Amino acid sequence: MTYGAFARLSKTALVLLGLTVPAQAEGVDILALGDSLTQGYGLAEQEGFVPQMRAWLEARGHEVRLVNGGVSGDTTAGGLSRVAWSLSPEIDAMIVALGGNDLLRGIPPETSRANLEGILQEAETRNLPVLLVGMTAPGNYGTEFKQSFDAIYPDLAQAHDTLLFEDFFEGLRVEGAMPADMSAVMQPDNIHPNAEGVAQIVEAMGPAVEALIAQAQE
């Protein structure tokens, strides 16, 4: 058999001859369901969380389409109301990063918990792996509120067997605490990270998203 003839063999013919065909890595489509932190509020398009995370993953060899499902001002209730139609048929996995606006509005933790659980249940009905990204309540809400809110994410991750990244802002913490001066990594509103802050957040969260990709490819 000449080389040219061999090259023209179909994959099926190769299998029949007992030859192996190199596996092709399939791309993964991930929905990032979130609020302004996901959407990229106040930043140039390529400086936001989704573009920076996509670039971080691609630099490590991952073929991934990261869909920006961030809506500025959205609460967990808003996320629950739109998750069903946001999960279009091609989506293979989902990042859920909601709760910051619930904190800003003082929404009862039990309400936030119920909404997030509804989102996870929607993913379960579609057999989609999820990375749940947590938030941490500030101390000025009181000890009881903080304990109730902070427990939402690890509790739900355990109950629904999802991946967990405990705090969206983990990459900005030094020795477990936020620095007193955050001006270098935050926008003037002191709520949203600037481009450098997003880069640090992506660097910290990236390995958890890689774990999500691995689950989606199983």
Side-chain angles (χ1 to χ4, degrees), residues 10-175:
S10 67
K11 291 183 180 180
T12 302
L14 290 172
V15 171
L16 290 174
L17 288 172
L19 301 172
T20 59
V21 180
Q24 297 293 319
E26 293 186 1
V28 175
D29 287 18
I30 301 174
L31 171 67
L33 187 75
D35 50 32
S36 57
L37 296 173
T38 302
Q39 183 266 335
Y41 174 87
L43 299 172
E45 183 178 354
Q46 294 306 311
E47 294 177 345
F49 171 79
V50 168
Q52 288 209 47
M53 180 62 77
R54 185 188 301 119
W56 190 95
L57 294 168
E58 289 177 351
R60 285 153 183 79
H62 299 286
E63 184 181 346
V64 59
R65 186 173 76 97
L66 197 55
V67 179
N68 194 336
V71 174
S72 291
D74 218 3
T75 61
T76 56
L80 177 59
S81 71
R82 61 190 173 89
V83 64
W85 58 261
S86 296
L87 288 171
S88 50
E90 70 274 10
I91 296 297
D92 301 306
M94 178 167 60
I95 298 170
V96 178
L98 287 162
N101 288 307
D102 293 48
L103 284 173
L104 290 175
R105 300 182 187 188
I107 293 172
E110 57 268 24
T111 301
S112 302
R113 178 187 290 265
N115 292 332
L116 287 169
E117 184 153 39
I119 292 171
L120 297 182
Q121 288 170 344
E122 183 66 32
E124 285 180 353
T125 64
R126 301 165 189 253
N127 197 30
L128 295 177
V130 173
L131 170 61
L132 182 61
V133 179
M135 296 291 293
T136 302
N140 61 311
Y141 282 99
T143 301
E144 184 177 350
F145 184 104
K146 179 173 174 58
Q147 289 178 344
S148 296
F149 185 91
D150 291 356
I152 292 172
Y153 300 92
D155 286 355
L156 290 180
Q158 182 175 16
H160 293 271
D161 194 25
T162 71
L163 294 168
L164 173 67
F165 188 77
E166 293 187 357
D167 189 346
F168 185 92
F169 291 104
E170 180 61 32
L172 305 184
R173 297 185 182 279
V174 177
E175 297 181 351

